[in-house]
Amino acid sequence: MCGIAGYVGPRNAVEVVLDQLKRLEYRGYDSAGVAYRNGSALKTVKRAGKLTELSGLLGSKLPVSHLAIAHSRWATHGAPTDLNAHPHSDQSGRIALIHNGIIENYLELKEELVREGHVFQSETDTEVAAHVIGREYDSGVELDEAVRRGVRRMRGAYAFVVASADEPEKIVAVRAASPLVIGLGDGETFLASDIPALLPYTRRVIVLEGGQVAVLTPAGVVVTDVNGASVAVHPFEADWDIESAEKGGYEHFMLKEIHEQPDVVHQCLLGRLTPDNRVVLDQVFSNHVLQDIDRVNIIACGTAYHAGLMAKFIFERMLRLPTDVFYSSEFRYGDPVLSPRSLAIFVSQSGETADSLAALRLCKARRIRTLGIVNVVGSSIARECDRVLFTQAGPEISVASTKAYTAQVLTLFLFSLHMAQVREMPGVRIKETVAALRKFGDYVQDAMAGEDQIKGVAAKFKDARLVFFLGRGADASLSLEGALKLKEIAYIPTQECPAGEMKHGPLALIEPGIPIVFGATDPDVREKLASNIKEVQARGGHAIVITTSDDVTLGAITDTLIKVPQTGNTYLNALLTIVPMQLFAYYTAKALGCEIDQPRNLAKSVTVE
Ligand code: F6R
């Protein structure tokens, strides 16, 4: 997500950290800032916008300094403004802090600090962290001990980097979850959120683990746990070239983003589940408004539309709330019938899709309540919706959407659980569902275990002239997304529809050897699906069936069986099938030598009609 850079040593520190941030630019950001040692003080310069804005503020002759920390922010809490940009300072102004990730209990900590007289400049959880650490520092301990004490008060998934005006050659870094890497030089030490920012300077790298605190000086690094016990670290030689380092060692951003999904699940759920397994979504409408909603319209394009289809299934099954899903381009010109008590939900990764934005403006003109499910904070859709739930998936670079889809479905699922709580829906087992959600990131990781098998399946069917994607219920909406992935990056025509529709026409397209991918996670319709499998096999089709690990019936009648973990929840089981389908599209495109991250004719953000 956000970029972190740090340097202590004989070079011009400001120049080094700005160069490091530049090397992290590919990850996307919307503001940037630096804190550097200036005489006996720390000077902070920060600005909304691109790095050129920050460089403009610093002037053409960069200040000379031997310690600096810098940050490029991709907004999650608070808009991308100068004030919300990092670094942030504590109450005394002695320390500067940059941060990636989320502090879940920041509101509680902020209230405590406000009661003690602390004054805050920004809306960020980062500034709260600076104040928590600053308060410990005021008691006279060294900076690293203040960080350790402060961190013990914070909950969440984050990484911090802190410097103090009083300790001229020391940077303290702590990792709870978000990545941090340290580069060892000769009489100099570097720090970054990602390896590409270190490679021009050093290839001796330490990857900090969760729960570790590192103290960087020009002489090197000392690592402890959060209680101060020393920890042995093992530097390695990073032999990646810069391009593959940007992709985290993966050949394409798409594969990197597929593999990021377990972490995306954690990010998406962060701060939204209570210890007693309930859902908290502070950002949505009041309970009174949520109780009043009589109908939901979900409006989106492409992959986001498919996330909407899955949500329709959940809203209608779980909440008994009538829900329609529209393509934005159809909705805006379709003179839609809108109940004044309805809720319009706009799903968008970029938040800039022209048709979705126009549809949103139409709803606003008709005074319909609007909710955004958006990834990019500060985007037009996020700004213009009445309320927004951010998907918290981090920047998505590959044109084909993968992790954003998973985060969209999960966010919509969280919203439906919140609605179920507010509307006191009998029969919705919130606690069990939340417990399953907590483990979902691990299940997504387990679903990756089938990667080699899928690579083989992709190699076998790469020359297919048509691939079917079929399912029933929730699996049917997933099959649309699986088909879209294959056609957009491997350029193979697909036919996707509910399995029960086959006999009404598409069955005519089945020929010997044609692969048919079945999503088959729902036990309630498994028998029906077994008949569909037999139908296509009888015409020479090859059935590739994705089902849950506990299934004992489909294996016997299937040509290729792919298993995903049983999560204990119907919707989550169906969502898991996206992992093998994304991998299937990826490896098919790779086997065909396609341009995976930038497929022909497509753009990441469709800002024109
Ligand atoms: C497909 C894909 C597109 C987008 C669509 C909407 O992989 O990425 O179909 O989902 O263009 O974009 P957003 O979500 O930015 O509104």
Side-chain angles (χ1 to χ4, degrees), residues 8 16 97 172 254 320 361 576 588:
V8 54
V16 173
L97 179 146
V172 181
M254 181 177 177
R320 310 309 297 164
R361 290 178 180 157
L576 267 189
T588 306

Side-chain angles (χ1 to χ4, degrees), residues 499-518:
E501 272 299 295
M502 283 295 277
K503 280 199 209 67
H504 302 284
L507 198 55
L509 292 172
I510 298 285
E511 287 173 10
I514 293 257
I516 302 101
V517 179
F518 284 92

Side-chain angles (χ1 to χ4, degrees), residues 268 271-272 279-285 290 389 411 413-419 421:
C268 179
R272 292 170 166 174
V279 174
V280 265
L281 294 178
D282 299 332
Q283 307 87 335
V284 290
F285 300 94
L290 293 180
L389 286 174
T411 310
F413 191 26
L414 285 172
F415 177 65
S416 68
L417 289 170
H418 180 71
M419 287 278 273
Q421 285 171 182

Side-chain angles (χ1 to χ4, degrees), residues 187-334:
E188 55 185 353
T189 309
F190 303 82
L191 176 79
S193 49
D194 221 342
I195 291 179
L198 300 179
L199 293 184
Y201 302 100
T202 178
R203 287 182 174 262
R204 274 177 61 221
V205 173
I206 294 169
V207 177
L208 220 55
E209 304 285 337
Q212 294 183 345
V213 180
V215 179
L216 285 75
T217 62
V221 62
V222 174
V223 179
T224 65
D225 67 15
V226 285
N227 296 313
S230 74
V231 171
V233 286
H234 308 285
F236 71 97
E237 280 304 302
D239 55 4
W240 300 344
D241 58 38
I242 290 188
E243 202 198 328
S244 66
E246 286 183 349
K247 295 176 188 142
Y250 292 102
E251 198 176 334
H252 296 97
F253 281 112
M254 181 177 177
L255 191 59
K256 174 174 182 263
E257 286 160 4
I258 292 172
H259 278 270
E260 277 172 4
Q261 289 177 115
D263 192 44
V264 165
V265 170
H266 292 301
Q267 295 291 340
C268 179
L269 299 178
L270 217 60
R272 292 170 166 174
L273 307 180
T274 65
D276 65 338
N277 284 346
R278 289 179 67 78
V279 174
V280 265
L281 294 178
D282 299 332
Q283 307 87 335
V284 290
F285 300 94
S286 68
N287 290 358
H288 172 72
V289 170
L290 293 180
Q291 276 153 356
D292 183 57
I293 290 167
D294 67 346
R295 173 158 219 111
V296 174
N297 293 312
I298 303 179
I299 302 136
C301 306
T303 289
Y305 171 86
H306 295 155
L309 288 179
M310 177 69 165
K312 170 184 164 72
F313 189 79
I314 299 173
F315 289 178
E316 293 193 334
R317 277 257 173 128
M318 200 167 93
L319 301 175
R320 310 309 297 164
L321 188 59
T323 303
D324 284 313
V325 192
F326 295 89
Y327 290 113
S328 309
S329 54
E330 289 294 303
F331 182 89
R332 65 181 289 198
Y333 296 117

Side-chain angles (χ1 to χ4, degrees), residues 301-304 347-351 353 399-401 408 484-485 488 606:
C301 306
T303 289
V347 189
S348 178
Q349 189 287 128
S350 64
T353 302
V399 166
S401 189
Q408 283 162 352
L484 178 65
K485 288 291 88 84
E488 69 181 324
V606 186

Side-chain angles (χ1 to χ4, degrees), residues 472-524:
R472 284 172 178 262
D475 290 320
S477 81
L478 266 292
S479 46
L480 300 190
E481 178 56 12
L484 178 65
K485 288 291 88 84
L486 187 71
K487 75 178 96 182
E488 69 181 324
I489 61 164
Y491 317 142
I492 297 181
T494 61
Q495 169 69 45
E496 51 278 12
C497 63
E501 272 299 295
M502 283 295 277
K503 280 199 209 67
H504 302 284
L507 198 55
L509 292 172
I510 298 285
E511 287 173 10
I514 293 257
I516 302 101
V517 179
F518 284 92
T521 61
D522 187 348
D524 289 349

